[in-house]
Amino acid sequence: MERYDIAIVGAGPAGMTAALYALRAGKSVLLFEGESYGGQIVQSRLVENYPGAPAINGAELAMKMMEPLTEMGLSVTPLEIKSVSRAEDGFALTAADGTTYHARTVIVATGVGHRRLDVAGEERFIGRGISFCATCDGMFFRGREVAVVGGGNTAVQDALVLSEVCSRVYLIHRRDAFRAESHLVERMRANDRIEIITDTVVTEVQGNLRPESLLLCNVRTNETCTLPVAGVFLAVGNVARNEAFRGLIDLDEGGFVLTDADCKTSCAGVFAAGDCRQKKVRQLTTATADGTIAALSAVEFLEGRG
Ligand code: NAP
């Protein structure tokens, strides 16, 4: 039975950085990813806040992060890990195809999933007019009117990206203050293709084969109205996806991994890095920092220093 030093679950910026440091420390590494590598940044048309890489396309940055790993002989194992349990001298990781892998330590770098609105019509239209990625799907709505829901960085960036191809973009936010960085909000306010609708929630996505309109409700006045749109981009935040680790490590009530400052979890030999951790700041820079810390903590553990 082959036993690797470090199994990393998730090949976003946190997982890729962890792999870089682990390989450079001479450890054998498995890097699992159930989707495409790169995590959330591949959905970003322009990453503008990664030091030393000004204004770079997110997918391109992800490729650049992968390059040194490939050069050191690592390739991504394209499997989702479904469960992880303690095994002799380490851990057993079972993948979606039923294969079991063994590693002496594990780094959880699962990132986050997309939060949904949980309103009527949403489930039916996901992938058929409701999207979570403006950069990937915006072109399908060239010349059409679309809505973006949310008030964070993702929503505002999505609205800006869509304004370049769509005839009109409605940004629907449940409050009147934005979480997004102020310079992005200023750019959005100055864009005359974007109409900002605040204090408003979506209560239904209506349509036959594709979305045709949104039912909106003003949370202050309780007034409702119908907004005709051809597409809907959801950017209402993230949810944890750490079910594979439940029972092995402590998670908070939202399912995010509890760690200490060294990215150690409640289980010796299991570490966590990036957005999957309970934390306040979820940025590319904090994900790569976590990847570094988790990998070096795992190396210390393997060498009996941790
Ligand atoms: P986010 O910051 O959590 O914002 C989610 C937005 O959705 C909030 O405005 C929230 O409203 C709203 N929302 C949540 N649940 C809702 C619901 N059920 N109905 C209606 N609205 C709802 O999420 P994000 O924008 O995806 O960003 C996630 C993380 O990635 C953040 O840390 C962000 O800074 C980071 N990020 C950074 C960049 C960048 O640096 N350029 C780009 C993208 C993402 P409230 O404000 O009322 O809570």
Side-chain angles (χ1 to χ4, degrees):
M1 180 183 66
E2 191 167 9
R3 185 180 288 114
Y4 289 79
D5 292 325
I6 304 178
I8 301 168
V9 185
M16 287 194 283
T17 307
L20 177 68
Y21 276 81
L23 290 167
R24 288 173 64 88
K27 303 303 173 198
S28 58
V29 174
L30 267 172
L31 178 59
F32 293 100
E33 176 55 65
E35 299 168 8
S36 55
Y37 74 81
Q40 286 182 85
I41 58 164
V42 298
Q43 301 188 357
S44 184
R45 205 185 54 183
L46 218 49
V47 176
E48 295 174 291
N49 52 10
Y50 194 60
I56 183 169
N57 174 270
E60 198 183 326
L61 181 58
M63 279 192 266
K64 282 185 183 292
M65 287 184 175
M66 185 52 75
E67 269 167 25
L69 309 184
T70 310
E71 278 164 20
M72 284 187 276
L74 181 71
S75 53
V76 174
T77 303
L79 288 171
E80 186 188 348
I81 292 301
K82 287 291 194 188
S83 68
V84 182
S85 57
R86 287 176 206 267
E88 193 192 328
D89 195 22
F91 302 90
L93 299 94
T94 304
D97 68 352
T99 318
T100 299
Y101 297 83
H102 291 88
R104 292 169 67 204
T105 62
V106 177
I107 297 177
V108 186
T110 43
V112 285
H114 299 293
R115 178 180 289 129
R116 298 186 180 190
L117 289 174
D118 289 331
V119 297
E122 180 184 44
E123 199 61 41
R124 188 156 60 101
F125 292 122
I126 285 176
R128 293 186 193 88
I130 294 184
S131 167
F132 296 96
C133 180
T135 311
C136 327
D137 298 332
M139 294 303 281
F140 298 124
F141 300 93
R142 178 175 284 283
R144 313 287 302 275
E145 300 204 342
V146 298
V148 176
V149 188
N153 279 323
T154 304
V156 175
Q157 280 188 333
D158 283 0
L160 289 165
V161 165
L162 292 165
S163 72
E164 291 171 19
V165 289
C166 300
S167 58
R168 186 134 215 88
V169 180
Y170 298 97
L171 188 290
I172 300 160
H173 180 33
R174 66 183 177 183
R175 292 188 294 140
D176 63 356
F178 287 90
R179 251 170 225 278
E181 290 169 12
S182 56
H183 86 102
L184 286 174
V185 176
E186 278 164 27
R187 240 192 269 170
M188 173 175 72
R189 288 195 194 283
N191 187 317
D192 57 14
R193 279 203 192 173
I194 303 175
E195 188 171 320
I196 302 169
I197 303 174
T198 53
D199 294 322
T200 297
V201 293
V202 175
T203 55
E204 187 178 348
V205 185
Q206 302 169 321
N208 288 314
L209 296 176
R210 314 261 316 167
E212 290 163 22
S213 57
L214 294 178
L215 193 58
L216 304 181
C217 178
N218 183 298
V219 293
R220 288 190 191 273
T221 63
N222 270 336
E223 273 175 40
T224 59
C225 69
T226 303
L227 179 72
V229 285
V232 185
F233 289 82
L234 297 181
V236 290
N238 301 312
V239 290
R241 45 181 184 188
N242 296 316
E243 283 312 303
F245 300 91
R246 195 172 284 284
L248 180 71
I249 55 177
D250 287 348
L251 307 176
D252 71 8
E253 64 282 357
F256 291 96
V257 184
L258 296 170
T259 64
D260 68 7
D262 294 326
C263 291
K264 292 177 183 167
T265 71
S266 58
C267 175
V270 182
F271 308 85
D275 286 4
C276 67
R277 287 176 55 210
Q278 184 194 63
K279 52 158 49 177
K280 190 170 167 198
V281 180
R282 291 193 169 89
Q283 294 286 319
L284 177 53
T285 46
T286 58
T288 55
D290 276 3
T292 310
I293 295 165
L296 295 182
S297 292
V299 169
E300 274 191 1
F301 179 86
L302 288 164
E303 295 177 355
R305 296 181 282 118

